[in-house]
Amino acid sequence: MSGVNLSGIVKAYGAVQVVHGIDLDIAEKEFVVLVGPSGCGKSTTLRMIAGLEEITAGDLTIGDRRMNRVAPKDRDVAMVFQNYALYPHLNVADNMAFGLRIRKMPKAEIKTTISEVAEILGLTEYLDRRPADLSGGQRQRVAMGRAIVRHPKVFLFDEPLSNLDAKLRTQMRAEIKRLHNRLGVTSVYVTHDQVEAMTLADRIVVMNNGSIEQIGTPMELFNNPANTFVAGFLGSPPMNQLKGTLTESGAKVGETEIKLNGSVATQAGRDVIVGIRPEHVTLTAGEKTTALPISLDLVEPLGSEALLHGHFGKDSLVFKTETGGDINHLSGVGEVHVNASLVKLFDAETGHALSLGA
């Protein structure tokens, strides 16, 4: 097993640069998720690690070896693709063993390896079936098994769950996490789904327009986003972002002054974005809360929780609250409350997070 280091990595197609000199250090045994909207460069970055895309500039190392000019087959990485990439005419056992036979591993060792990995993935009873006879989740496990049997230094996952339904995605997320905990292999996982990123990652790398916006643990990024892009991308629903202006004692949004947990007197008059997580809103007042009058448009029940969609002045807001098994009492909500310690501030011009004085 080895760590992966990207230093000043650039990818350009002719005059068009799609990855702009990114730096990323992935520790041995770490599970890192690259997340971002379509076209942000995350899959291109993964393919450069795999050797499927040529690196325009910068250095890629796996372990202590520079990999820029090393062929994909010699990098000792294994990739799991979005479309499974299974051979339809081969059964499960032969699909998983294909790469091992190419490497001329002894037959007895191949059989033992396939048996062990099939047991880990719950595929033992399906070894004689062909891909057409399997469900989507089973096919994905076969694709993962084909990667695992090679005992690579690095696992690479390119949106492996995007073709599955919601229930299977949830099941496979848990299986991938358990598998990583069991095998401890350095893993790089690409997805546009921020729920996958939050649940799977040791660290998340948020990408946008070919650059890295922020790197951190799921909770670091959720609680302290570096800018409005990260704040709006991570979280379900994403953070509410309201245009406001700092006063000597808070942030004024429309006619309401929102309390802040810190001093902003020296920055009075500065235009800001006030960030409020849907989860950080309550229906009851507290000592350090600010009441936000809202015009409720919709109550969206989710079972134990509900999403309240409404307007605060000209801004659309979404808040999350517990239902207690009943949503009837939510239809009359006219105001919500936000705690000063949970409000985030961002510069209105740059979008960068602002720190509050003591």
Side-chain angles (χ1 to χ4, degrees):
M1 292 171 287
S2 301
V4 179
N5 179 265
L6 289 75
S7 179
I9 293 292
V10 173
K11 178 60 184 178
Y13 297 98
V16 180
Q17 193 174 109
V18 296
V19 176
H20 310 296
I22 64 173
D23 297 307
L24 177 61
D25 191 21
I26 301 170
E28 186 175 314
K29 300 184 179 182
E30 189 175 24
F31 197 117
V32 167
V33 176
L34 308 182
V35 67
S38 297
C40 71
K42 57 188 185 295
S43 289
T44 301
T45 301
L46 190 79
R47 291 173 65 84
M48 285 190 284
I49 297 173
L52 302 178
E53 293 281 358
E54 186 177 345
I55 296 171
T56 305
D59 290 307
L60 167 70
T61 58
I62 298 178
D64 298 325
R65 187 182 180 190
R66 186 174 185 268
M67 292 291 181
N68 289 46
R69 301 296 178 184
V70 176
K73 65 183 180 63
D74 298 323
R75 296 192 180 198
D76 201 7
V77 301
M79 194 160 180
V80 180
F81 295 91
Q82 176 180 347
N83 62 355
Y84 317 135
L86 301 177
Y87 296 106
H89 63 289
L90 299 181
N91 63 24
V92 169
D94 289 337
N95 263 286
M96 292 170 63
F98 188 84
L100 303 182
R101 293 192 176 116
I102 293 295
R103 289 168 174 77
K104 302 188 184 302
M105 179 185 284
K107 289 183 179 180
E109 191 174 341
I110 290 177
K111 185 176 181 179
T112 300
T113 302
I114 297 301
S115 178
E116 291 174 351
V117 173
E119 182 68 26
I120 292 172
L121 294 172
L123 292 171
T124 302
E125 62 182 291
Y126 304 108
L127 289 176
D128 293 328
R129 296 190 187 182
R130 293 187 178 183
D133 301 322
L134 303 175
S135 68
Q138 290 164 346
R139 292 178 197 176
Q140 193 55 270
R141 289 205 297 272
V142 175
M144 290 168 59
R146 185 177 53 193
I148 294 167
V149 295
R150 290 180 49 197
H151 299 295
K153 291 180 179 177
V154 181
F155 282 136
L156 305 175
F157 297 87
D158 188 11
E159 302 197 40
L161 307 185
S162 58
N163 289 337
L164 305 180
D165 61 40
K167 183 178 180 180
L168 269 178
R169 281 201 303 271
T170 301
Q171 292 175 349
M172 287 302 298
R173 279 203 314 264
E175 289 191 29
I176 290 173
K177 190 68 175 180
R178 290 191 194 101
L179 194 61
H180 176 74
N181 292 339
R182 181 169 181 172
L183 301 177
V185 179
T186 307
S187 300
V188 186
Y189 187 107
V190 160
T191 182
H192 63 273
D193 186 333
Q194 54 92 21
V195 175
E196 282 182 30
M198 292 289 289
T199 54
L200 286 171
D202 294 325
R203 283 192 303 155
I204 296 174
V205 179
V206 181
M207 296 187 66
N208 184 33
N209 293 327
S211 299
I212 293 176
E213 296 283 351
Q214 189 175 2
I215 304 172
T217 67
M219 294 313 298
E220 284 173 350
L221 269 59
F222 182 81
N223 291 323
N224 297 295
N227 52 46
T228 51
F229 177 83
V230 177
F233 192 82
L234 286 182
S236 181
M239 181 181 284
N240 296 291
Q241 299 183 25
L242 314 175
K243 293 181 180 180
T245 304
L246 292 181
T247 66
E248 292 190 357
S249 56
K252 192 168 185 180
V253 178
E255 299 301 317
T256 302
E257 185 171 86
I258 298 175
K259 297 176 184 177
L260 301 174
N261 193 34
S263 174
V264 292
T266 59
Q267 303 183 64
R270 183 175 187 171
D271 291 332
V272 295
I273 301 295
V274 178
I276 303 172
R277 287 278 182 203
E279 298 85 357
H280 292 165
V281 173
T282 65
L283 300 182
T284 56
E287 183 180 349
K288 294 184 178 181
T289 61
T290 301
L292 305 182
I294 65 167
S295 174
L296 190 63
D297 300 327
L298 172 69
V299 177
E300 191 175 5
L302 301 175
S304 62
E305 296 177 321
L307 299 181
L308 306 183
H309 297 257
H311 283 82
F312 171 52
K314 297 181 179 179
D315 293 297
S316 296
L317 300 177
V318 181
F319 301 120
K320 185 179 286 187
T321 185
E322 294 183 359
T323 62
D326 179 24
I327 64 168
N328 292 327
H329 66 289
L330 298 176
S331 60
V333 171
E335 69 176 23
V336 293
H337 304 267
V338 59
N339 192 296
S341 64
L342 301 175
V343 175
K344 303 297 179 184
L345 289 181
F346 306 90
D347 183 81
E349 184 176 349
T350 67
H352 294 158
L354 300 177
S355 58
L356 301 179

